[in-house]
Amino acid sequence: MHNTHDSRLLEPNTIKTTTRIVLFRLSILILLSMGGIFALQILSGNTQDATILAPSIIPILFALWLTHRDRIELAGTVIAVSLIAVFTALATVGQGPYDIGAVVFPSILIIASLILKRRTVLYLMGLIILCNAWLTLGAVYGLYHPTYPQSSHIGQFVVTSLILLITMSAVYVLSNIIRSSLNTVQKELTEREKAEKALRDAEAMYRTLVENTSVIIYRDAPEEEGDTLYISPQIERVLGYSVEEWQNNPKIWMELTHSEDLPNVLSDIKNYLAKGEGSVIEYRMRSKDNRWVWLQDESVVVKGDDGKPQYIHGVLTDITARKNAEQKIQQHEAILNAVAETAQLLLKSSDWQSDANEMLRLLCEATEASHVYIFENHPGENGEILSSQKYEWGSANQQSDLENLDYQSTQIDPTLGIEDWHTNLKNGKPFYGSRKQYPQYWDDRFGATGLKTILDVPITVNGQWWGIIRFDDYVHEMPWSKTEADALVVAASNLGTAIERQQADRALRVSEEKFELAFHHTYVAMAINNTNDHRLLDINEAFTKVTGYTREDAIGKRAGRDLNIWLNQEDRDFIINSLEQQGYIDEYKAEFRRKNGEIGVGLLSAVNISIAGKPCQLYSFYDISRIDQLMSELKSKNEELQSFTYTVSHDLKAPLVTISGFMGYLEQDARKGDIERVSKDILRITEAVVKMQRLLNELLELSRIGRLMNPPEDVPFGEVVQEALRIVEGRLLARQVRVEVEADLPSVYGDRIRLVEVVQNLVDNAAKFMGEQTDPCICIGVKWRNGSPVFFVRDNGMGIEPQYFDTVFGLFNKLDAHSEGTGIGLSLVKRIVDVHGGSIWVESEGIGKGSTFYFTFAKYPGRAQNEK
């Protein structure tokens, strides 16, 4: 970094100002000197010289005025010319070329050369030569007659001294300016060398960082289809293409980008070039081995001094694993949603055959299978069991198999080479098969077709194996999770129930008009009650299966008050009010209680009807407990697994640090025989052990009941801070960290244990990254913003650079790769704060200047979480 004070000396305005000051002082000195010489000549009676000196005061005053107006060059010229003229005139009336005044000519030339421009100095030199020529040649040729008066030696001494004084003063000041300027130039050169060396070191470090990080760094020309100017070597690891291949074809990125994604990428580049801002976009690129790799592209536009885009700088991150995981989760959810939709479809349908293709379409799109079929079992001519394909839905570009004779009247043989296929389906279990499991059978049976996997789910009707729903894939060897298979079993069960219902409907239409009208949706629980007293007139078999109540238990009773079926009184009131106000209710989700006390979830539809002229109500109730449970379990287990892993790997460290620290103190105090200190050490260790045991018990309890939060409560934040400080006391003592806590901290509402973890992790993190601080200190307090508290944990440690303010909260993002810890502490803190409806951020002035973590909590975190 350059010295600001020294650098100023080289600026033109500074030199001009200094010269003006020197010239102003010099003018005053000359004016005073001329006045002194004038007075000396008057006193000595030399009126002739005095007469010559008197007019010279006028140009000197004029030069002062010019100097005040910043006319430096003209002012200096006026002074020099006037002095040359005056002393030439004095020499002319005096001793000619031998006059003492001629000594001033070299001084004038020296001073002028330091102040005035070179051209002006040359003109002055010519003038002085002409004056000397006049004094010399004029005396020789008699153009004037020197008088050679008897001069006073004192006067000559005074004149000579004044000339020397003026010359010395001007030369001294100007030489100081030159010397200071030379010193400044030398310092600037030294600083520039240091800066260049630091720049080279930084460039080497940056290149090392770029070429060894896990992400891909690139630089492109600032155009919509700009060439790649630089790409880091990681591109070969991710996509298989070398840096040389990329450089030889600067537009290769356009060729490799997925055709569906390329328009969005080009549009994104165009937009952020126009706005001059950065962008984050995700898209696919084809690798050298023909895989599609998902990349996250974070780019920024770098502008030049003229404000125009100079190049595009970006970072590519391989997010294929994340995308695959997201896709798998989305597929799980899609399958569950499709199962629910097929259930609704079959619930409303009076003829499952007419809706079979729509059901298969929903299942095919959700599972991303190549085909989905329905095979129906039927007896052959000789009594054997055959299977024939009845319905099919295929994905795009897949050839239909409806006309394939291999799938018609195929004998079901348990000894085909995949014996467990027959065993599983006959026992109501799904079957999954692939070439890896049955290579010989697969080559013989499906080798020519290219089939990779099949999943067969049995359809059971009235307790008998009716047929199967088959899912096959010709593209991927699709792995099926147990959750997905169970969901598809539910779909097959719904179809089986729908088939049962349609068969029953046909029978009912033949037998009785009442059952044809009221119970044609027999695969769901149905009931008819009297509108006036809400007593049940009739129930169907599905009702007894779902609720456990027999006809004898239910007929003549009220479902809500007598049988106590509805779990929540609010649901019963809503159903009754809806029927009274609008005459029907459609697919209302409610919790119900079975006869054995089990709680289920169902979809209720009801409508006001008339039977024999009496107002009645028809209820249909579909049990979706299994689907609801599967969806809840999938979400709950995924979230619980993440939270459990983070907590186990991170939260147990603080008690261990405390135990380790006080074990050392215990050993020292035991050797010293300090029983009181030993007791305190043992107490601290015991507290840490108890804390660890409590955490383990809480984690075990969470894993059993699936809960992620403890009941919220109002907690004084001061108590939260003190409990957190006791947990990390070992680290604080080991590093001699001083902690200051503001008084009268407000209360917060939330999970006390999780709130303690927030402060614990922030304090532990601050103590861990104190660096070389000789007086480490942590401050904990609160600020108020718009009437709400904003808590903070401030330290005077290593500090954080602004570009890392957001990334420090990312999972496993450690600014110091060699520091202890797993890198999830701040991520865990952010997760807890988010759950409590708050926010967290960090502020720091940079490296070595400490950090401050600010965080807030919602007044009612449970409500805030539900609103997200």
Side-chain angles (χ1 to χ4, degrees):
M1 182 178 295
H2 295 293
N3 186 292
T4 305
H5 177 73
D6 291 343
S7 297
R8 241 188 351 253
L9 295 175
L10 292 179
E11 297 177 0
N13 289 336
T14 304
I15 296 175
K16 184 177 180 180
T17 301
T18 305
T19 305
R20 184 179 65 179
I21 294 173
V22 171
L23 191 57
F24 182 81
R25 293 176 180 177
L26 185 61
S27 301
I28 298 297
L29 183 61
I30 292 172
L31 188 61
L32 294 175
S33 300
M34 297 296 286
I37 296 173
F38 175 79
L40 183 63
Q41 296 298 333
I42 293 296
L43 293 175
S44 63
N46 191 351
T47 58
Q48 186 180 19
D49 288 353
T51 302
I52 296 173
L53 286 171
S56 66
I57 295 175
I58 296 174
I60 300 301
L61 293 174
F62 179 62
L64 281 173
W65 181 80
L66 290 174
T67 303
H68 180 70
R69 303 285 293 182
D70 285 338
R71 303 290 297 276
I72 307 299
E73 186 73 15
L74 182 56
T77 304
V78 170
I79 292 174
V81 171
S82 62
L83 290 177
I84 293 171
V86 168
F87 282 100
T88 301
L90 291 174
T92 301
V93 300
Q95 301 176 19
Y98 305 103
D99 193 89
I100 189 65
V103 179
V104 78
F105 292 156
S107 299
I108 293 173
L109 196 60
I110 292 173
I111 295 173
S113 65
L114 296 174
I115 297 177
L116 304 179
K117 295 180 179 179
R118 183 173 63 178
R119 179 180 296 179
T120 305
V121 174
L122 292 176
Y123 290 152
L124 292 175
M125 182 184 294
L127 180 59
I128 291 172
I129 292 173
L130 291 175
C131 291
N132 279 327
W134 160 255
L135 293 175
T136 303
L137 298 178
V140 172
Y141 293 103
L143 299 178
Y144 74 95
H145 301 285
T147 59
Y148 302 102
Q150 183 65 35
S151 300
S152 170
H153 294 293
I154 294 176
Q156 291 180 350
F157 170 76
V158 172
V159 173
T160 306
S161 299
L162 288 174
I163 293 172
L164 292 175
L165 179 62
I166 294 171
T167 305
M168 181 187 67
S169 299
V171 172
Y172 177 76
V173 172
L174 293 174
S175 63
N176 280 342
I177 294 176
I178 295 173
R179 187 184 306 109
S180 178
S181 299
L182 291 174
N183 290 336
T184 301
V185 170
Q186 181 63 35
K187 289 181 179 179
E188 285 191 350
L189 290 175
T190 303
E191 293 295 332
R192 181 174 296 178
E193 290 178 357
K194 292 181 180 179
E196 290 176 351
K197 183 178 183 301
L199 184 61
R200 289 193 299 271
D201 293 343
E203 183 179 358
M205 181 182 68
Y206 175 75
R207 181 172 294 277
T208 301
L209 177 65
V210 166
E211 294 183 354
N212 289 279
T213 187
S214 60
V215 298
I216 303 166
I217 311 295
Y218 72 86
R219 177 177 292 178
D220 284 355
E223 301 169 1
E224 185 176 347
E225 298 182 5
D227 293 349
T228 299
L229 305 178
Y230 170 79
I231 192 89
S232 60
Q234 292 86 342
I235 192 67
E236 185 168 4
R237 174 178 57 80
V238 176
L239 294 179
Y241 292 93
S242 66
V243 174
E244 290 74 18
E245 291 176 294
W246 212 270
Q247 292 173 343
N248 293 335
N249 184 4
K251 294 189 184 298
I252 190 174
W253 64 272
M254 295 181 61
E255 301 173 5
L256 300 181
T257 303
H258 199 287
S259 59
E260 296 177 1
D261 300 337
L262 184 58
N264 293 334
V265 174
L266 295 177
S267 175
D268 188 67
I269 296 174
K270 182 179 180 181
N271 289 338
Y272 69 67
L273 280 175
K275 297 179 181 179
E277 301 174 350
S279 172
V280 179
I281 189 172
E282 296 176 356
Y283 52 87
R284 291 161 289 180
M285 274 193 171
R286 187 181 68 251
S287 66
K288 204 167 188 177
D289 56 358
N290 287 322
R291 291 180 299 106
W292 286 112
V293 178
W294 274 99
L295 297 173
Q296 177 177 280
D297 188 346
E298 300 183 50
S299 56
V300 64
V301 178
V302 179
K303 299 180 179 179
D305 295 336
D306 57 358
K308 295 181 179 180
Q310 191 173 9
Y311 53 81
I312 300 172
H313 187 74
V315 177
L316 297 175
T317 306
D318 185 355
I319 59 171
T320 306
R322 191 196 81 192
K323 281 291 186 179
N324 290 339
E326 291 175 354
Q327 185 179 8
K328 195 63 178 176
I329 293 174
Q330 292 172 356
Q331 186 175 7
H332 289 178
E333 294 177 350
I335 291 175
L336 293 176
N337 290 335
V339 171
E341 288 185 44
T342 58
Q344 296 299 317
L345 179 68
L346 295 174
L347 174 64
K348 298 177 181 179
S349 175
S350 59
D351 182 12
W352 72 268
Q353 288 97 335
S354 62
D355 295 314
N357 285 336
E358 177 63 13
M359 172 186 176
L360 295 182
R361 182 190 68 80
L362 292 172
L363 295 176
C364 185
E365 292 177 354
T367 59
E368 298 182 359
S370 298
H371 296 94
V372 181
Y373 315 90
I374 293 179
F375 285 84
E376 180 182 354
N377 298 340
H378 57 90
E381 295 179 356
N382 299 322
E384 71 277 18
I385 302 299
L386 304 178
S387 178
S388 296
Q389 177 184 333
K390 298 296 185 179
Y391 303 92
E392 175 200 42
W393 188 273
S395 60
N397 302 322
Q398 291 293 331
Q399 185 177 356
S400 173
D401 286 324
L402 281 174
E403 304 299 327
N404 190 342
L405 297 179
D406 291 339
Y407 292 159
Q408 300 299 325
S409 298
T410 302
Q411 184 172 354
I412 298 178
D413 189 346
T415 60
L416 290 175
I418 47 173
E419 293 77 6
D420 46 347
W421 175 85
H422 184 271
T423 303
N424 281 17
L425 297 176
K426 189 175 182 180
N427 292 329
K429 298 179 181 180
F431 170 82
Y432 167 75
S434 67
R435 188 181 184 283
K436 290 182 178 179
Q437 296 172 292
Y438 310 98
Q440 186 61 47
Y441 174 82
W442 221 261
D443 289 341
D444 295 341
R445 185 74 172 82
F446 305 116
T449 64
L451 181 64
K452 296 184 180 296
T453 58
I454 60 170
L455 175 67
D456 288 344
V457 182
I459 303 171
T460 302
V461 176
N462 295 320
Q464 301 295 320
W465 179 22
W466 181 90
I468 61 171
I469 301 179
R470 168 169 291 184
F471 303 82
D472 66 17
D473 198 302
Y474 288 85
V475 181
H476 308 98
E477 191 160 321
M478 182 185 299
W480 295 88
S481 67
K482 186 177 185 303
T483 303
E484 293 170 339
D486 288 345
L488 296 175
V489 167
V490 173
S493 176
N494 291 339
L495 177 59
T497 305
I499 295 172
E500 290 180 3
R501 183 198 68 200
Q502 187 163 319
Q503 293 175 350
D505 285 347
R506 290 171 182 171
L508 288 173
R509 283 194 297 270
V510 174
S511 59
E512 296 181 30
E513 180 181 357
K514 171 185 176 180
F515 288 99
E516 182 180 2
L517 174 67
F519 289 88
H520 61 281
H521 295 293
T522 56
Y523 89 109
V524 293
M526 301 190 68
I528 301 174
N529 71 356
N530 189 308
T531 302
N532 295 327
D533 58 10
H534 302 291
R535 296 185 182 277
L536 292 170
L537 300 178
D538 204 352
I539 63 173
N540 66 357
E541 184 179 357
F543 184 96
T544 64
K545 290 181 180 179
V546 172
T547 65
Y549 291 101
T550 64
R551 291 176 59 83
E552 290 75 17
D553 295 331
I555 301 300
K557 303 291 181 62
R558 293 171 294 186
R561 295 183 179 180
D562 298 332
L563 302 182
N564 198 25
I565 286 180
W566 303 117
L567 183 65
N568 300 310
Q569 182 67 26
E570 294 82 359
D571 291 334
R572 175 184 176 276
D573 294 340
F574 177 82
I575 294 168
I576 294 176
N577 292 335
S578 297
L579 288 172
E580 289 177 353
Q581 295 174 7
Q582 62 187 23
Y584 70 94
I585 185 171
D586 189 23
E587 298 180 3
Y588 178 74
K589 184 178 179 180
E591 293 180 299
F592 66 96
R593 183 184 292 105
R594 307 181 201 272
K595 184 178 180 179
N596 60 7
E598 291 181 2
I599 305 301
V601 180
L603 286 177
L604 173 74
S605 296
V607 64
N608 291 334
I609 62 174
S610 177
I611 299 179
K614 295 182 179 180
C616 297
Q617 294 168 337
L618 171 65
Y619 289 84
S620 60
F621 189 77
Y622 176 67
D623 185 1
I624 61 169
S625 302
R626 180 58 177 166
I627 297 175
D628 189 77
Q629 179 184 1
L630 287 173
M631 296 182 71
S632 299
E633 287 178 358
L634 178 61
K635 180 179 178 181
S636 176
K637 287 181 180 179
N638 285 338
E639 294 176 352
E640 182 180 0
L641 179 61
Q642 292 181 1
S643 178
F644 187 85
T645 303
Y646 298 157
T647 305
V648 168
S649 64
H650 192 272
D651 287 7
L652 298 182
K653 287 186 178 179
L656 290 175
V657 172
T658 300
I659 294 172
S660 177
F662 278 95
M663 285 297 292
Y665 292 131
L666 178 62
E667 182 181 0
Q668 295 175 9
D669 295 337
R671 289 178 177 176
K672 294 177 182 178
D674 191 339
I675 301 303
E676 182 179 355
R677 295 284 299 180
V678 168
S679 299
K680 291 182 178 180
D681 295 339
I682 293 175
L683 179 61
R684 293 298 188 190
I685 294 172
T686 303
E687 289 177 350
V689 171
V690 171
K691 178 64 178 179
M692 181 181 293
Q693 183 63 41
R694 186 174 67 181
L695 287 173
L696 289 172
N697 289 337
E698 290 170 353
L699 291 173
L700 181 59
E701 183 65 19
L702 286 175
S703 68
R704 288 174 176 170
I705 65 177
R707 296 182 181 270
L708 299 177
M709 295 292 292
N710 297 292
E713 57 181 308
D714 281 308
V715 187
F717 197 71
E719 294 182 8
V720 172
V721 171
Q722 295 303 322
E723 185 172 349
L725 292 179
R726 284 195 297 271
I727 295 174
V728 297
E729 186 174 9
R731 183 184 294 279
L732 296 175
L733 291 175
R735 303 201 175 190
Q736 299 182 349
V737 179
R738 177 166 47 91
V739 180
E740 298 177 356
V741 182
E742 291 185 0
D744 300 326
L745 294 175
S747 295
V748 293
Y749 182 78
D751 181 347
R752 182 188 186 105
I753 295 176
R754 296 304 183 193
L755 296 176
V756 170
E757 290 177 6
V758 170
V759 180
Q760 169 193 337
N761 280 284
L762 290 177
V763 173
D764 187 69
N765 192 70
K768 186 190 307 179
F769 294 102
M770 278 296 176
E772 301 298 328
Q773 177 61 248
T774 58
D775 183 22
C777 179
I778 299 174
C779 297
I780 303 174
V782 64
K783 293 183 178 180
W784 293 88
R785 184 178 63 186
N786 299 327
S788 299
V790 178
F791 301 97
F792 64 84
V793 176
R794 179 183 296 117
D795 64 73
N796 60 351
M798 297 171 61
I800 301 173
E801 294 184 86
Q803 62 264 35
Y804 300 117
F805 283 178
D806 294 329
T807 59
V808 295
F809 296 104
L811 190 61
F812 303 119
N813 284 344
K814 298 175 62 179
L815 299 184
D816 183 0
H818 300 288
S819 65
E820 59 180 298
T822 61
I824 66 172
L826 293 180
S827 178
L828 181 61
V829 168
K830 186 177 186 306
R831 183 183 294 271
I832 297 173
V833 172
D834 289 343
V835 170
H836 283 79
S839 60
I840 183 169
W841 67 95
V842 62
E843 295 181 4
S844 175
E845 296 182 4
I847 298 300
K849 296 186 179 181
S851 305
T852 303
F853 285 84
Y854 293 94
F855 51 96
T856 63
F857 301 110
K859 185 174 181 181
Y860 301 103
R863 181 183 304 170
Q865 180 69 8
N866 292 334
E867 292 174 354
K868 288 187 176 181

